[in-house]
Amino acid sequence: MDNIGKILVVDDEADILEFISYNLKKEGYEVYTALNGKEALPIAKKTKPDLILLDVMMPVMDGIETCKRIKADSDFDQTYVVFLTARSEDYSEIEGLDAGADDYIAKPIKPKVLITRLNAILRRKIKEMAAPSIKVKDLFIDRESFLIYRGEQKIALARKEFELLFLLASKPGKVFTRENILEKVWGDEVLVVDRTIDVHIRKIREKLGDEYIGTVKGVGYKFEV
Amino acid sequence: MDNIGKILVVDDEADILEFISYNLKKEGYEVYTALNGKEALPIAKKTKPDLILLDVMMPVMDGIETCKRIKADSDFDQTYVVFLTARSEDYSEIEGLDAGADDYIAKPIKPKVLITRLNAILRRKIKEMAAPSIKVKDLFIDRESFLIYRGEQKIALARKEFELLFLLASKPGKVFTRENILEKVWGDEVLVVDRTIDVHIRKIREKLGDEYIGTVKGVGYKFEV
DNA sequence: ATTAATGTTATCTAATTGTTAAGCGGGCTG
DNA sequence: CAGCCCGCTTAACAATTAGATAACATTAAT
């Protein structure tokens, strides 16, 4: 299991803390914990987590206050904050998002849901931080503009087409299985038939030519080198 | 039949334990047993099994708790956990998978089903852990790209051909019987005549030359060293 | 020399992928 | 708000190719 990121979990109930911590570790995350906001800040400073999971209702320093302080600190520009809120207190949802939280998850927590959401959030983050452009063969694949440059020629791809090409081009020569592609381009909550990929491949080939994407029958697709 | 792996079986009913144990040993597995979770942990620590077969309902320490402890221990990152669950208690199926189990098998246990499932699981494991590429003689056999490199030359094999060559090359000099090959390349649900292998061998030789794969008449094939 | 095992070729089928077209829904513009 | 455009998905059909088998040829062992 690959190490995808660091997460700081903050909750005043020790058993919930352990429960979440256990599930995240299982998933391959590096997990830190704190029992309240006051405790959390210095830990966050030191460990620079990718994401902070923050209970709203806490003694000493509640989640909203903590979130505001975190968001005010430029050290944490790259840090996502996700609130844990009891289902009833939906008001805090709004207030929380006002405080700068990037998302929220309702208690009671189901491991599958938790993992799925966090994976999605962090995948988004990783994507944002990923190299903004790739140069392969005669192509310049540019995230900034979502355009493919071939010499002077500019070629526009639709978002999914772009993401798919970007993925393949990120490791030229490597074969990506359909499973692989669905997971990385579509995400966990995949609700598409894998044949959809074929159609996107077709459109990319139509726009760029057949020489870039190769088929490995029974396995998947790859960027030809 | 070659020794494919170590399995720890945990169940509180001695006769079930013996029944499973007997069937697994017959299949060539190295089998350890324990009567409950508490007993199982130290044994697991010592023997480092490839797979743990865990009854859910047990006194002293039940399967779910045991599973959680196992999964929390980084010593067992490479260990699969499979639950044994009574058919009625399907709820535990979900809970069990939440606890980190990799699969589950419903009681009552049929030996054939058990063996088939475990073989499948362990084969998957072995494949995942397998080196992604092999260098032998003047060949570089690369799973990433599904290509064979000979110097600058790239040679493409069909999937089955590739898998077959990969298998032989994974242990140069070792003779693989047809049985062996069918099991590893085709899987358990083999519904092919073993002469099919000959044809694939032929195609590989055609593409790479005759010097790589040797025939041991009456036994099988091997990668020549 | 006889026989069993393997090599080789050709053919068929089933699985996989390519391709086209149609439907749906969101967002934008007038 | 209506109407249109566009991106995404799926379904349906076509094309392709990997894979399986049978049939016949050849080889090696006793």
Side-chain angles (χ1 to χ4, degrees), chain B residues 42-44 72 81-82 98 114 117 123 143 150 166 175 211:
Chain B
I43 296 178
V81 175
V82 175
D98 276 349
L114 180 72
R117 294 279 291 276
R123 185 167 34 247
R143 256 225 142 61
R150 180 161 54 192
F166 197 88
V175 180
E211 66 266 39

Side-chain angles (χ1 to χ4, degrees), chain A residues 141-167:
Chain A
I141 306 172
D142 182 32
R143 256 230 139 62
E144 301 273 305
S145 60
F146 265 63
L147 285 174
I148 315 293
Y149 293 87
R150 180 160 53 191
E152 291 304 299
Q153 185 190 14
K154 284 189 210 172
I155 303 161
L157 297 187
R159 182 150 49 258
K160 282 264 145 66
E161 291 160 29
F162 186 91
E163 296 289 359
L164 176 47
L165 179 67
F166 198 87
L167 174 66

Side-chain angles (χ1 to χ4, degrees), chain B residues 26-84:
Chain B
K26 200 177 63 183
E27 196 63 16
Y29 289 106
E30 198 177 323
V31 182
Y32 304 93
T33 58
L35 284 166
N36 57 61
K38 202 172 174 187
E39 212 175 83
L41 287 174
I43 296 178
K45 272 280 190 192
K46 206 161 59 193
T47 60
K48 294 280 165 55
D50 297 290
L51 188 147
I52 300 178
L53 202 54
L54 205 51
D55 190 27
V56 174
M57 303 285 276
M58 282 184 304
V60 188
M61 189 193 293
D62 75 5
I64 295 188
E65 177 60 24
T66 311
C67 179
K68 281 184 183 168
R69 299 215 186 177
I70 287 166
K71 286 291 169 178
D73 189 333
S74 64
D75 271 11
F76 299 118
D77 282 348
Q78 307 293 334
T79 305
Y80 274 62
V81 175
V82 175
F83 271 137
L84 289 173

Side-chain angles (χ1 to χ4, degrees), chain B residues 1-168:
Chain B
M1 204 141 296
D2 47 358
N3 200 317
I4 355 179
K6 289 179 279 186
I7 299 183
L8 170 60
V9 187
V10 189
D11 197 310
D12 58 312
E13 292 176 69
D15 50 344
I16 291 189
L17 206 56
E18 199 187 339
F19 171 72
I20 294 175
S21 175
Y22 164 76
N23 278 287
L24 292 178
K25 277 180 185 157
K26 200 177 63 183
E27 196 63 16
Y29 289 106
E30 198 177 323
V31 182
Y32 304 93
T33 58
L35 284 166
N36 57 61
K38 202 172 174 187
E39 212 175 83
L41 287 174
I43 296 178
K45 272 280 190 192
K46 206 161 59 193
T47 60
K48 294 280 165 55
D50 297 290
L51 188 147
I52 300 178
L53 202 54
L54 205 51
D55 190 27
V56 174
M57 303 285 276
M58 282 184 304
V60 188
M61 189 193 293
D62 75 5
I64 295 188
E65 177 60 24
T66 311
C67 179
K68 281 184 183 168
R69 299 215 186 177
I70 287 166
K71 286 291 169 178
D73 189 333
S74 64
D75 271 11
F76 299 118
D77 282 348
Q78 307 293 334
T79 305
Y80 274 62
V81 175
V82 175
F83 271 137
L84 289 173
T85 96
R87 182 158 298 162
S88 60
E89 38 174 339
D90 45 355
Y91 70 90
S92 65
E93 183 183 313
I94 298 153
E95 198 186 341
L97 292 177
D98 276 349
D102 298 284
D103 208 341
Y104 67 95
I105 294 177
K107 290 182 179 181
I109 297 162
K110 297 182 179 178
K112 279 245 174 77
V113 177
L114 180 72
I115 296 297
T116 303
R117 294 279 291 276
L118 295 193
N119 278 345
I121 289 168
L122 285 172
R123 185 167 34 247
R124 205 190 321 143
K125 181 186 173 184
I126 284 163
K127 219 176 231 174
E128 271 172 19
M129 295 199 316
S133 65
I134 297 174
K135 243 190 291 190
V136 254
K137 287 188 160 184
D138 58 345
L139 298 185
F140 180 69
I141 306 172
D142 181 34
R143 256 225 142 61
E144 291 259 300
S145 59
F146 268 85
L147 287 174
I148 316 293
Y149 292 86
R150 180 161 54 192
E152 291 302 298
Q153 186 191 14
K154 288 189 214 168
I155 304 161
L157 298 187
R159 193 176 56 170
K160 282 263 146 65
E161 291 159 29
F162 186 92
E163 298 287 2
L164 176 46
L165 179 67
F166 197 88
L167 174 66
L168 297 182

Side-chain angles (χ1 to χ4, degrees), chain A residues 3-171:
Chain A
N3 201 316
I4 356 179
K6 288 179 280 186
I7 299 183
L8 170 60
V9 187
V10 189
D11 198 309
D12 58 312
E13 292 176 68
D15 50 344
I16 291 189
L17 207 55
E18 197 188 341
F19 172 73
I20 294 174
S21 174
Y22 164 76
N23 278 288
L24 292 177
K25 278 181 184 157
K26 195 180 67 182
E27 196 62 16
Y29 290 107
E30 198 176 321
V31 181
Y32 303 94
T33 58
L35 285 166
N36 57 61
K38 201 172 174 188
E39 213 176 81
L41 287 174
I43 296 177
K45 272 280 191 191
K46 206 161 60 193
T47 61
K48 294 281 165 55
D50 298 290
L51 188 147
I52 300 177
L53 203 52
L54 206 52
D55 190 27
V56 173
M57 303 286 277
M58 282 185 304
V60 187
M61 190 193 292
D62 75 6
I64 296 191
E65 177 60 25
T66 312
C67 179
K68 281 181 184 166
R69 298 213 189 180
I70 286 166
K71 284 293 168 178
D73 188 334
S74 66
D75 271 12
F76 299 119
D77 283 347
Q78 305 294 331
T79 305
Y80 275 63
V81 175
V82 174
F83 272 137
L84 288 173
T85 95
R87 182 159 297 162
S88 60
E89 37 175 339
D90 45 356
Y91 70 90
S92 65
E93 182 183 313
I94 299 154
E95 200 185 340
L97 293 176
D98 276 351
D102 298 283
D103 208 340
Y104 68 95
I105 294 177
K107 291 183 180 180
I109 297 161
K110 297 183 178 179
K112 279 244 172 78
V113 177
L114 179 73
I115 296 297
T116 302
R117 294 280 291 276
L118 295 192
N119 278 346
I121 290 169
L122 284 173
R123 185 167 35 244
R124 210 190 316 144
K125 185 184 173 185
I126 284 163
K127 220 179 239 173
E128 277 170 14
M129 296 199 316
S133 65
I134 297 174
K135 244 189 292 190
V136 255
K137 285 189 162 181
D138 58 345
L139 298 185
F140 181 70
I141 306 172
D142 182 32
R143 256 230 139 62
E144 301 273 305
S145 60
F146 265 63
L147 285 174
I148 315 293
Y149 293 87
R150 180 160 53 191
E152 291 304 299
Q153 185 190 14
K154 284 189 210 172
I155 303 161
L157 297 187
R159 182 150 49 258
K160 282 264 145 66
E161 291 160 29
F162 186 91
E163 296 289 359
L164 176 47
L165 179 67
F166 198 87
L167 174 66
L168 297 182
S170 68
K171 269 220 167 190

